[in-house]
């Protein structure tokens, strides 16, 4: 992180090309600085050196002793039937007692060459008993050569805390420890990124001291000191990056968009058949305040499924149209874009009939643009966008194409932020003459969004009240393998809902036609399958629909919906379902967001363990949208004790999306907060944990804002600049710039 010359030194110069190559390829470590910031994952307490005379059973011990004798035996076994099996037995002594070491198979060659009688070494392993004698099987060992060095090695190995590093098969933890030992003197060169006043004010140790203590702690207090300091570095440098980005945003010009006092927005509010909730009014005020400023709004709107985010976004769009601009809403799927278009036109009534006979005085045009539209309809839509005739545009990725030109783009609303890459949002924002305002909506903060929120790179508005008239949803886990009769009862419940005049969804992870590779299906699901269930492919829509129509749901009208159907067919299926002509809709996750059928009260999610927490929460939000209570059944064959079942239990036990996103984040890690990876595999955070360290992050945010306000270019803080450059390699720098 702090790349000053000594720390910029390539590892191949310091450790040799072979080791450096393994470190670069398998651990992404290239310089001395990278290696010093490769922190131990945990520490093993080896205790003091143990005398051979009083070894405790089943414990990990480290002993220093001399080899008394070594014998190689060959024997026959199932793996080596011709007597080619090899076992090396080594007896060691420390003067107080004797101990047998045993090595098997290919593992005998190295110790056979090295552990010759008279050799002194340090041995570490777990004590077991074989043939009533104590032994260590396959112990790790380190030869002790000359006395002076020997004393030091004993000292460093026998210390109470042995650091264990994230390692690879090619490079054991203790080889990493040795490499770090080699470069440890360079820590004195580390330039401190934290301003002195901040460090002293918070009682944090210096960076060189923290690096020494994390790699060579003498006590647990050393580790605590080091971690406290290094967490601050990560939080603070990251916050500086975000604060500078917020600062840069405020320097960009944008057109202030204020609604006219008795324009389109007022006319729309007057025709609403209900009053806005307090939450909707508060969030709308925050958004209108942002829209009225002369730099771009950059706001995240988080709201529970069904909390009325679309209405809040529509009012923001109308305010922009009022002020002479255009507003666009970007939806992740065609089904959702069509659904949004229908509901916006419905809510606006004659206000959506701009330029048409019978349109109201302040009316504007609401245009839909998707990839599957016919050429004529598409030409027409593009013309409306370019002339400014269409004040409101709703569409999918098709909006991002080069051909699409706007007359005066003032606001971009992105629905379900996690479905869009940064490049796509950026391309759309680039279509304004000046940077448009940006409103990002999400119903379930998924891990990286939560991380971003905690890190505060977007201003955040939260809708946590459900509008009146939303019904409660009961959720239950159905353990299909342990209790098959529970699954039979689930289908009975679906029939009961239908006989009461309602409808149901059945969701499956896979489509199931011949193009559909089951292995691909498993890979696409958000969570890796665990245990037994990955023995079979995930359940598929086409198979399940057929089985239900011929079996437990015989006599009911069952239809299917999935992403590979033609757009017109999809739309026809959704219309029939919305009109109540279909009893049960068997679908993939195409229904995950935005589909609104108030009469649908039950949902059965098959192989629920194959979906992520946030996906399950989203899906569940499709029922209970009317006056009747909703029911969501999570069907899984996972055993009770599995992590997958715990995840499902968590979803069943709470309706709070924010709580679920925390659970999701704790299970999946935050991904690279600044990069594009959303899994936990690649993270720019080494010691900071987003959920546990919320307080540090919040405090670091305040400190960073003050530093950037006083010195946006960080001219007075060279150490901080260096740390920032190391954090923001090119990819992350672009990511931050694009937002």
């Amino acid at each position: 992180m702090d790349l000053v010359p000594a720390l910029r030194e390539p590892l191949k110069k310091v450790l040799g090309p072979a080791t450096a190559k393994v470190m670069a390829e398998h651990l992404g470590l290239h310089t001395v600085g990278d290696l010093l910031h490769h922190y131990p994952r945990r520490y093993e307490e080896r205790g003091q050196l143990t005398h051979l005379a009083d070894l405790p059973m089943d414990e990990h011990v480290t002993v220093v002793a001399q080899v008394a004798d070594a014998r190689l035996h060959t024997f026959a076994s199932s793996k080596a039937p011709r007597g080619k099996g090899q076992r090396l037995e080594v007896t060691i002594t420390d003067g107080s007692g004797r101990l047998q070491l045993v090595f098997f198979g290919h593992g005998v060659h190295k110790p056979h060459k090295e552990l010759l009688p008279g050799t002194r070494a340090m041995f570490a392993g777990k004590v077991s008993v074989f043939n009533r004698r104590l032994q260590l099987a396959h112990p790790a060992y380190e030869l002790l050569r000359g006395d002076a060095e020997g004393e030091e090695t004993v000292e460093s190995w026998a210390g109470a805390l042995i650091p264990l590093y994230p390692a690879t098969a090619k490079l054991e933890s203790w080889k990493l420890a040795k490499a770090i030992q080699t470069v440890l003197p360079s820590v004195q060169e580390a330039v401190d990124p934290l301003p002195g006043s901040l460090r002293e004010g918070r009682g944090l140790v210096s960076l060189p001291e923290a690096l020494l203590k994390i790699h060579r702690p003498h006590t647990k207090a050393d580790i605590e000191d080091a971690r406290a300091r290094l967490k601050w570095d990560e939080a603070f440098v990251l916050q500086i990056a975000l604060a500078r980005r917020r600062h840069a945003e405020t320097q960009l010009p944008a057109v202030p968009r204020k609604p006219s006092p008795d324009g389109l927005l007022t006319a729309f509010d007057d025709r609403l058949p209900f009053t806005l909730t307090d939450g909707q009014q508060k969030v709308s005020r925050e958004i209108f305040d942002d829209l009225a400023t002369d730099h771009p709004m950059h706001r995240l709107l988080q709201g529970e499924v069904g909390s009325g985010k679309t209405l809040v976004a529509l009012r923001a769009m109308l305010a922009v149209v009022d002020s002479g601009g255009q507003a666009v809403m970007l939806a992740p799927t065609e089904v959702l874009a069509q659904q949004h278009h229908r509901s916006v036109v419905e809510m606006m009534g004659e206000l959506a009939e701009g330029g048409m006979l019978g349109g109201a005085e302040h009316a504007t045009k609401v245009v839909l643009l998707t990839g599957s539209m016919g050429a004529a309809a598409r030409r027409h839509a593009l013309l409306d966008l370019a002339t400014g005739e269409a004040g409101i545009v709703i569409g999918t990725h098709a909006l991002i194409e080069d051909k699409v030109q706007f007359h005066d783009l003032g606001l971009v609303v992105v629905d379900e932020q996690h479905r869009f890459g940064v490049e796509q949002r950026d391309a759309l924002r680039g279509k304004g003459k000046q940077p448009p305002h940006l409103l990002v909506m999400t119903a379930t903060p998924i891990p990286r969004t939560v991380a971003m929120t905690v890190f505060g790179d977007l201003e955040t508005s939260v809708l946590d009240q459900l509008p009146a008239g939303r019904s409660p949803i009961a959720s239950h886990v159905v353990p299909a393998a342990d209790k098959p009769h529970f699954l039979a009862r689930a289908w009975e419940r679906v029939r009961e809902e239908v006989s009461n005049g309602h409808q149901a969804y059945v969701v499956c992870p896979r489509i199931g036609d011949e193009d559909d590779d089951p292995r691909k299906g498993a890979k696409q699901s958000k969570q890796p399958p665990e245990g037994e269930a990955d023995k079979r492919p995930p359940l598929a829509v086409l198979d399940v629909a057929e089985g239900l129509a011929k079996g437990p749901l015989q006599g009911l009208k069952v239809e299917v919906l999935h992403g590979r159907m033609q757009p017109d067919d999809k739309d026809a299926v959704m219309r029939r379902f919305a009109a109540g002509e279909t009893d049960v809709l068997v679908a993939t996750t195409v229904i995950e967001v935005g589909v609104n059928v108030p009469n649908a009260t039950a949902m059965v999610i098959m192989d629920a363990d194959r979906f992520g927490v946030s996906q399950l929460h989203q899906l569940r939000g499709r029922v209970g949208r009317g006056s009747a209570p909703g029911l969501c059944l999570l069907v899984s064959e996972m055993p009770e004790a599995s992590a997958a079942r715990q995840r499902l239990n968590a979803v069943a036990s709470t309706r709070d999306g924010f709580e679920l996103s925390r659970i999701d984040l704790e299970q999946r890690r935050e991904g690279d907060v600044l990069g594009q990876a959303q899994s936990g595999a690649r993270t720019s955070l080494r010691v900071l944990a987003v959920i546990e360290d919320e307080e540090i992050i919040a405090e670091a945010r305040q400190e960073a804002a003050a530093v950037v306000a006083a010195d946006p270019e960080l001219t007075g803080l060279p150490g901080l600049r260096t740390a920032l450059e190391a954090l923001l390699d090119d990819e992350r720098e672009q990511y931050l710039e694009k937002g």
Side-chain angles (χ1 to χ4, degrees):
M1 202 191 269
D2 322 271
L3 303 177
V4 286
L7 303 195
R8 271 204 186 125
E9 190 79 30
L11 287 172
K12 60 173 176 271
K13 279 193 175 171
V14 188
L15 302 173
T19 308
K21 186 169 182 249
V22 175
M23 286 191 179
E25 282 175 11
H26 295 274
L27 296 167
L29 307 175
H30 303 278
T31 64
V32 169
D34 292 344
L35 183 55
L36 286 172
H37 287 286
H38 186 72
Y39 307 135
R41 188 173 50 230
R42 59 190 176 88
Y43 299 86
E44 189 121 307
E45 293 188 64
R46 304 235 201 212
Q48 292 311 300
L49 287 177
T50 319
H51 283 299
L52 294 185
D54 35 42
L55 284 177
M57 273 299 300
D58 283 337
E59 279 190 28
H60 211 293
V61 298
T62 301
V63 296
V64 172
Q66 196 165 14
V67 177
D69 65 63
R71 292 200 194 93
L72 190 61
H73 301 278
T74 53
F75 59 91
S77 73
S78 57
K79 286 185 182 166
R82 295 210 182 96
K84 293 280 172 60
Q86 292 192 308
R87 182 176 76 243
L88 175 68
E89 290 175 4
V90 177
T91 308
I92 58 171
T93 175
D94 66 350
S96 71
R98 290 166 87 81
L99 177 65
Q100 186 153 345
L101 316 177
V102 57
F103 301 86
F104 290 101
H106 297 304
V108 305
H109 306 307
K110 188 166 173 276
H112 188 221
K113 280 204 303 243
E114 294 183 336
L115 298 179
L116 305 170
T119 309
R120 268 184 95 237
M122 186 157 30
F123 304 91
K126 199 172 180 185
V127 182
S128 56
V129 170
F130 181 72
N131 278 348
R132 295 200 297 259
R133 283 165 64 190
L134 292 183
Q135 72 167 27
L136 296 183
H138 281 285
Y141 64 87
E142 185 83 336
L143 300 181
L144 301 179
R145 302 187 170 84
D147 274 352
E149 192 192 331
E151 288 313 308
E152 186 185 73
T153 320
V154 171
E155 169 56 33
S156 69
W157 256 61
L161 295 162
I162 306 289
L164 293 181
Y165 290 90
T168 75
K170 307 254 182 206
L171 204 62
E172 295 97 333
S173 168
W174 57 273
K175 285 187 182 158
L176 273 163
K178 265 186 152 165
I180 285 167
Q181 208 60 34
T182 308
V183 300
L184 211 49
S186 310
V187 297
Q188 300 311 331
E189 310 264 346
V191 174
D192 208 316
L194 296 190
S197 56
L198 187 157
R199 199 174 68 234
E200 283 148 26
R202 297 191 174 271
L204 299 169
V205 300
S206 71
L207 183 58
E209 190 180 339
L211 290 171
L212 275 172
K213 283 184 166 176
I214 200 138
H215 291 298
R216 287 197 69 172
H218 293 293
T219 62
K220 286 185 177 165
D222 284 352
I223 299 170
E224 288 309 306
D225 285 353
R227 288 178 68 84
R229 164 61 215 248
L230 296 168
K231 279 183 178 189
W232 253 94
D233 278 17
E234 285 185 5
F236 183 69
V237 175
L238 193 46
Q239 284 301 343
I240 287 283
L242 297 173
R244 287 184 72 194
R245 175 170 158 195
R246 281 197 303 275
H247 184 268
E249 287 277 336
T250 63
Q251 308 305 303
L252 286 175
V255 180
R257 309 282 178 173
K258 294 179 182 164
S260 45
D262 46 4
L264 184 57
L265 180 62
T266 309
F268 175 77
D269 284 349
D270 290 345
R271 50 168 289 135
L272 278 179
F274 51 81
T275 51
L276 298 176
T277 64
D278 295 347
Q280 286 173 322
Q281 287 176 346
K282 174 175 151 287
V283 168
S284 288
R285 276 196 302 275
E286 291 171 351
I287 292 172
F288 291 148
D289 289 349
D290 279 2
L291 289 174
T293 60
D294 54 9
H295 56 82
M297 165 169 83
H298 208 212
R299 186 167 283 279
L300 175 67
L301 171 56
Q302 306 191 80
E304 274 301 353
V305 179
S307 58
K309 291 183 302 299
T310 312
L311 177 62
V312 168
L314 177 56
R315 291 184 75 238
M317 292 165 88
L318 295 172
V320 169
V321 176
D322 249 354
S323 72
Q326 290 169 293
V328 56
M329 180 185 272
L330 191 57
T333 63
E334 292 210 355
V335 169
L336 187 52
Q338 288 162 346
Q339 175 93 29
H340 275 319
H341 182 253
R342 270 203 297 275
S343 61
V344 164
V345 170
E346 251 165 55
M347 282 196 272
M348 287 176 64
E350 72 267 22
L351 295 174
E353 294 168 3
M356 291 153 72
L357 279 172
E361 180 196 351
H362 301 293
T364 186
K365 233 181 192 182
V366 180
V367 168
L368 176 69
L369 185 69
T370 64
S372 64
M373 284 168 78
R378 189 179 171 78
R379 253 199 319 278
H380 207 85
L382 289 173
L383 190 64
D384 285 342
L385 265 63
T387 59
E389 190 81 7
I392 290 180
V393 185
I394 294 168
T396 54
H397 296 74
L399 284 167
I400 295 168
E401 291 169 15
D402 293 343
K403 291 199 273 297
V404 180
Q405 297 299 325
F406 291 88
H407 176 65
D408 178 16
L409 181 58
L411 170 66
V412 175
V413 178
V414 178
D415 191 18
E416 288 311 319
Q417 177 254 356
H418 60 281
R419 301 299 191 81
F420 290 99
V422 174
E423 282 78 10
Q424 294 159 321
R425 290 202 323 240
D426 190 45
L428 197 49
R429 285 174 79 186
K431 291 184 180 291
K433 294 187 177 71
Q434 284 191 308
H437 299 281
L438 175 69
L439 179 66
V440 167
M441 300 198 295
T442 178
T444 312
I446 60 156
R448 207 193 65 217
T449 316
V450 177
M452 283 294 213
T453 308
V454 178
F455 284 119
D457 124 81
L458 299 168
E459 297 301 325
T460 307
S461 297
V462 177
L463 276 175
D464 45 14
Q465 262 179 306
L466 288 187
R470 286 296 303 229
S471 305
I473 302 175
S475 304
H476 304 285
V477 178
V478 177
D482 314 347
K483 298 179 178 167
H485 58 287
F486 276 36
L487 184 57
R489 175 72 188 120
W491 301 126
E492 281 172 28
R493 283 291 288 115
V494 170
R495 292 193 84 98
E496 286 163 18
E497 290 298 313
V498 173
S499 65
N500 290 334
H502 297 302
Q503 294 159 279
Y505 297 99
V506 177
V507 182
C508 306
R510 197 164 64 88
I511 297 172
D513 50 21
E514 50 288 348
D515 309 345
D516 195 24
D517 180 344
R519 290 186 303 274
K520 200 166 71 189
K523 198 159 72 193
Q524 281 167 347
S525 74
K526 295 282 173 80
Q527 294 287 348
E530 306 162 53
E532 291 307 304
D534 61 350
K535 295 280 198 298
R536 64 163 171 75
L539 292 170
V541 166
L542 301 178
D543 307 339
V544 168
E546 190 184 349
L548 290 175
K550 290 179 179 166
L553 302 185
Q554 200 170 3
L556 302 186
K557 179 111 175 58
V558 177
E559 286 210 69
V560 300
L561 179 71
H562 57 74
R564 217 174 281 135
M565 290 163 65
Q566 290 303 314
D568 293 351
D569 297 344
K570 273 193 271 198
D571 209 37
V573 169
M574 265 328 294
R575 281 176 190 276
R576 285 196 293 274
F577 189 63
E581 295 164 24
T582 307
D583 297 321
V584 179
L585 186 62
V586 183
T588 56
T589 55
V590 290
I591 59 147
E592 179 184 346
V593 276
V595 174
N596 187 21
V597 181
N599 191 45
T601 52
M603 176 177 285
V604 181
I605 303 179
M606 308 302 291
D607 278 346
D609 46 89
R610 299 199 181 239
F611 299 98
V613 169
S614 52
Q615 245 187 335
L616 292 169
H617 183 58
Q618 281 281 21
L619 287 165
R620 169 171 65 183
R622 301 301 110 214
V623 295
R625 298 177 82 86
S627 52
L631 172 69
C632 178
L633 301 173
L634 306 167
V635 180
S636 170
E637 295 185 0
M638 283 292 152
E640 182 122 27
S642 64
R645 273 285 286 280
Q646 287 166 358
R647 205 165 58 234
L648 296 181
N649 291 340
V651 174
S653 67
T654 176
R655 285 275 331 270
D656 180 338
F658 290 90
E659 181 53 34
L660 286 174
S661 69
R662 290 176 77 92
I663 292 168
D664 204 6
L665 184 54
E666 279 163 356
Q667 289 193 343
R668 281 169 44 174
R669 293 283 294 152
E670 36 284 312
D672 189 332
V673 176
L674 294 182
Q676 311 210 15
Q678 286 196 0
S679 71
R682 179 170 162 267
T683 174
S684 54
L685 304 181
R686 295 183 175 95
V687 284
L688 194 68
V690 168
I691 291 292
E692 288 163 33
D693 298 321
E694 254 174 297
E695 269 177 48
I696 294 179
I697 292 162
E699 289 170 17
R701 184 184 185 194
Q702 285 176 339
E703 296 271 12
V707 167
V708 170
D711 179 5
E713 293 305 308
L714 309 178
T715 37
L717 294 163
L720 181 54
R721 276 195 75 95
T722 310
L724 195 61
E725 283 159 20
L727 175 74
L728 301 181
D729 53 28
D730 295 342
E731 180 196 343
R732 294 204 185 110
E733 184 71 83
Q734 283 172 356
Y735 181 87
L736 278 182
E737 279 171 6
K738 287 177 180 171

